[in-house]
Amino acid sequence: MEENREQWGSKLGFIIAAVGSAVGLGNIWRFPYIAYTNGGGAFLIPYFFAIFTAGIPLLILEYGLGHKYKGSTPLAIAKVKKKWEWLGWWPTINAFIILTYYSMILSWAVNYLRFSINKGWGSDTDAFFHTDFIKLSSSPFDFGGMILPILIGIAIIWFISWFICYKGIKAGIEKANKILLPALVIIMIIIAIRAVNLEGAAEGLNTLFTPDWSKVMDPKVWVAAYGQVFFSLSLAMGIMMTYSSYLPKKTDINNSAFMTAFANCGFEFLSAIAVFSILGFMASAKGIPMSEVVSSGVGLAFVVFPAVFTEMGSVGTLLGVLFFLCLLFAGLTSSVSLIEAVSAPFIDKFGWARNKVVAIICLIGFSIGILYSTGAGLYLLDIIDNFINNYGIVVVGLLEVVLIGWIVNPDIVREHTNEISYFKIGKWWNICVKFVTPTILIFMLAQSIITEIKTPYGGYDLSALFAYGWSIIGFGIILALIISKKQWKNRNISE
């Protein structure tokens, strides 16, 4: 069975796919804002510290486990410790939940690509986005009607993702990433070159990179840095273990982890330069301070940027088309990796055919996506994303390092990766996995829970947070426990 496992065509193909997974919407709209609000240039100190003490060690851990045990996340973890198999299924379910709302954001990008050609968002981009386009309802429980353009966009995204994953590892995912990732980087370079030459760009870049040294000692800034590295590298989502399980026997794992982390980090910097140059232009054109134009996430991409592109005239049309293409490509490489992280465990566990599993996952995903094409879509995205990131992913990451660092022995991974890698990692890796990463993750988790108790997230009603937040987390854990109790087909897994 394991001998027939598909493989990447080349090590480069694997790294491109891993970087494609890591480079997602968060690099474009989350990193610049987090750096800006957490001390600008000074943020880079905790950020790089986080890459070396959590990002790379966790990548080596996930690559090492996937490669050593030649299995998707649940299979690799079950081979390490049978009782912990559920810990492989929980991120699989989380990845599926992320997929359902990711397709909605990409649907918005598809539609905005269309709007950018003739600046279809008009002069009031805020009202256009919230009222005319997504038809935001009054509350998370008020679904309103279905919005056809968004539903069509969701269908297109699921179809493309299905087509790529259906083709398999080498002919589908690797090939698609070899086209999408270079295209994404080239587009972002074009946007950045044009952006830094805009009037006011210098002011934007100064705002981003001027260090506020007082923030370096603030624990919250360090938590933000670890959070960014953690989410941005696709850790604890079942992706990296699954991807590395398709590597041939002789592969330089340690080097691959460093390359993935630095390539992802480079793309974040490129995005930050482009985003802040454009925001600097906006501030100088309107004669307002930078603090008034800076925003993050959905607001930055679908409200602030369209307003900037309108302000730019014909150059704005070109930059608008390129920017939404960029979002689309970044999102597609990530959504393909999420589908693979959800499909592979079922193929491994039940011996089902790849094309059948991928088709079922895409059909169920699309059916749930219909909910997001209603007036409550943005509320659902906001609540579910907050809970999956702050609780789902952080707890999975924490349990992974506890399992390897404390219950088994970190050396099982380190000795395996050192044996096949050009350069060896020393005992510092064990220290990171046993002490540094768990400490930070426990601190992050405690911060989230304390904040949640003090002020319920986003000012939402507790019933909405329970219905779409806590219950989703509970559902993930219960389903993971149920699936882990089922027998493995064609495998005898014992302690």
Side-chain angles (χ1 to χ4, degrees):
M1 175 88 189
E2 291 174 34
E3 279 63 43
N4 304 335
R5 195 173 187 81
E6 277 196 84
Q7 286 195 352
W8 298 104
S10 62
K11 182 184 158 189
L12 179 68
F14 159 69
I15 288 180
I16 287 177
V19 173
S21 168
V23 168
L25 302 175
N27 299 58
I28 300 170
W29 72 32
R30 193 172 186 268
F31 175 75
Y33 181 78
I34 292 218
Y36 161 73
T37 49
N38 288 288
F43 175 73
L44 301 181
I45 293 173
Y47 174 73
F48 281 115
F49 195 81
I51 284 176
F52 283 105
T53 57
I56 291 169
L58 265 168
L59 269 178
I60 292 173
L61 174 82
E62 295 200 351
Y63 282 175
L65 282 176
H67 184 262
K68 180 177 169 72
Y69 296 109
K70 283 278 171 276
S72 56
T73 314
L75 177 56
I77 288 178
K79 283 181 172 178
V80 172
K81 201 94 178 135
K82 179 71 182 82
K83 285 195 188 79
W84 282 63
E85 185 193 317
W86 69 276
L87 180 60
W89 286 103
W90 188 16
T92 303
I93 295 153
N94 286 343
F96 179 71
I97 295 164
I98 292 169
L99 257 173
T100 60
Y101 62 74
Y102 220 70
S103 63
M104 171 184 73
I105 303 171
L106 296 185
S107 162
W108 295 349
V110 168
N111 280 285
Y112 265 69
L113 187 57
R114 190 166 51 92
F115 299 145
S116 58
I117 296 165
N118 61 354
K119 311 270 191 356
W121 45 67
S123 54
D124 186 345
T125 54
D126 194 336
F128 175 81
F129 177 70
H130 290 102
T131 311
D132 303 342
F133 177 57
I134 64 167
K135 298 182 170 47
L136 190 62
S137 64
S138 57
S139 81
F141 294 115
D142 169 16
F143 285 92
M146 206 178 288
I147 301 139
L148 197 60
I150 296 179
L151 184 63
I152 292 168
I154 290 174
I156 291 169
I157 294 301
W158 276 107
F159 178 77
I160 296 170
S161 306
W162 164 79
F163 183 75
I164 294 171
C165 291
Y166 181 86
K167 292 275 197 188
I169 298 302
K170 201 187 295 186
I173 297 175
E174 184 171 337
K175 205 178 254 181
N177 272 290
K178 279 182 172 170
I179 298 165
L180 290 171
L181 192 69
L184 171 64
V185 173
I186 291 164
I187 294 170
M188 192 46 103
I189 290 170
I190 296 169
I191 295 175
I193 291 170
R194 184 65 195 95
V196 294
N197 288 303
L198 292 167
E199 202 174 320
E203 189 200 338
L205 292 173
N206 286 338
T207 310
L208 172 63
F209 289 117
T210 302
D212 176 355
W213 296 113
S214 65
K215 296 238 172 136
V216 173
M217 299 318 290
D218 183 348
K220 282 192 176 135
V221 171
W222 286 78
V223 169
Y226 275 87
Q228 176 60 26
V229 165
F230 204 72
F231 303 137
S232 147
L233 283 172
S234 298
L235 295 166
M237 293 186 201
I239 296 170
M240 295 309 184
M241 256 186 242
T242 302
Y243 267 13
S244 63
S245 72
Y246 302 122
L247 281 166
K249 269 196 171 137
K250 282 279 176 211
T251 302
D252 187 345
I253 297 271
N254 297 343
N255 203 9
S256 301
F258 278 87
M259 284 164 80
T260 308
F262 290 135
N264 178 64
C265 171
F267 188 82
E268 285 193 322
F269 276 99
L270 184 62
S271 303
I273 289 166
V275 167
F276 267 77
S277 299
I278 291 172
L279 293 176
F281 163 81
M282 184 72 168
S284 86
K286 288 227 158 54
I288 51 177
M290 273 293 289
S291 55
E292 285 184 29
V293 292
V294 176
S295 78
S296 170
V298 171
L300 174 76
F302 298 102
V303 176
V304 178
F305 267 37
V308 180
F309 298 142
T310 301
E311 193 79 32
M312 285 179 183
S314 56
V315 173
T317 307
L318 174 66
L319 280 184
V321 169
L322 289 176
F323 176 72
F324 290 110
L325 261 182
C326 216
L327 283 188
L328 200 52
F329 288 177
L332 272 174
T333 54
S334 299
S335 88
V336 163
S337 67
L338 286 163
I339 291 179
E340 187 53 37
V342 181
S343 313
F346 289 98
I347 297 167
D348 281 349
K349 176 118 190 172
F350 301 108
W352 296 335
R354 159 178 286 278
N355 45 14
K356 184 170 131 187
V357 173
V358 170
I360 291 170
I361 285 166
C362 292
L363 278 171
I364 298 172
F366 171 67
S367 310
I368 296 171
I370 296 171
L371 280 177
Y372 292 100
S373 67
T374 62
L378 182 57
Y379 297 128
L380 302 184
L381 155 77
D382 192 25
I383 298 171
I384 295 171
D385 185 57
N386 171 64
F387 278 81
I388 290 276
N389 277 327
N390 290 333
Y391 304 105
I393 292 174
V394 172
V395 175
V396 168
L398 176 60
L399 291 173
E400 269 182 21
V401 287
V402 166
L403 172 65
I404 300 303
W406 293 93
I407 293 172
V408 261
N409 181 347
D411 283 338
I412 64 161
V413 176
R414 191 170 68 96
E415 284 168 7
H416 173 75
T417 65
N418 279 350
E419 204 178 301
I420 51 175
S421 300
Y422 291 123
F423 72 89
K424 316 277 181 257
I425 45 167
K427 286 282 186 190
W428 65 269
W429 184 82
N430 297 38
I431 292 165
C432 288
V433 170
K434 282 188 82 154
F435 303 105
V436 182
T437 311
T439 306
I440 298 285
L441 291 175
I442 289 168
F443 190 71
M444 278 169 72
L445 193 61
Q447 290 272 94
S448 298
I449 293 169
I450 292 164
T451 313
E452 198 73 50
I453 293 166
K454 281 189 191 158
T455 47
Y457 174 71
Y460 288 107
D461 210 44
L462 283 175
S463 57
L465 294 178
F466 190 78
Y468 302 128
W470 293 115
S471 62
I472 294 272
I473 296 293
F475 167 78
I477 297 170
I478 292 163
L479 191 57
L481 287 165
I482 292 168
I483 302 173
S484 66
K485 295 282 176 271
K486 305 268 180 220
Q487 278 300 91
W488 286 87
K489 192 169 189 242
N490 309 332
R491 291 177 194 279
N492 179 26
I493 292 173
S494 54
E495 279 293 342

